[in-house]
Amino acid sequence: MKTIKLQVPMDQTIRDGLEKRAKSLGFDSAQAYIRFWAKAETDGRRVNLDEDNWGEPSDIAAKRINQLAEEAIKDHESGKLKSYTSSKKLLEDLNNEIS
């Protein structure tokens, strides 16, 4: 794949607004957001990032989700499921699991 640069002159306020919008959507930069948009346009796909409708899960996915939920309920009832009083404690535990 050959990579090229595309320079688009624009007003600073528009660029700043685009950066803010991109970050609010989970992109790390306006550039990443534009690359995503350009690829979707090239493929003929229309994406609506403001819509959070993934539809219904497949039967296999629903079965897996229900099984995981049942296991979590059983673990909670038996005292095996960890619980946290703050996000900081959760992140500390996750970091300890990784180390």
Side-chain angles (χ1 to χ4, degrees), residues 52-65:
D52 192 15
N53 181 6
W54 292 80
E56 294 297 317
S58 67
D59 290 342
I60 292 170
K63 184 177 179 180
R64 186 178 67 243
I65 291 166

Side-chain angles (χ1 to χ4, degrees), residues 53-99:
N53 181 6
W54 292 80
E56 294 297 317
S58 67
D59 290 342
I60 292 170
K63 184 177 179 180
R64 186 178 67 243
I65 291 166
N66 289 335
Q67 183 178 9
L68 291 169
E70 288 170 12
E71 289 173 10
I73 290 169
K74 286 178 186 175
D75 287 347
H76 173 71
E77 289 171 348
S78 69
K80 294 179 185 176
L81 188 65
K82 292 182 180 180
S83 62
Y84 303 93
T85 55
S86 72
S87 57
K88 183 178 179 180
K89 294 287 186 188
L90 169 65
L91 291 173
E92 286 172 0
D93 191 43
L94 287 173
N95 286 331
N96 289 334
E97 292 289 326
I98 295 171
S99 314

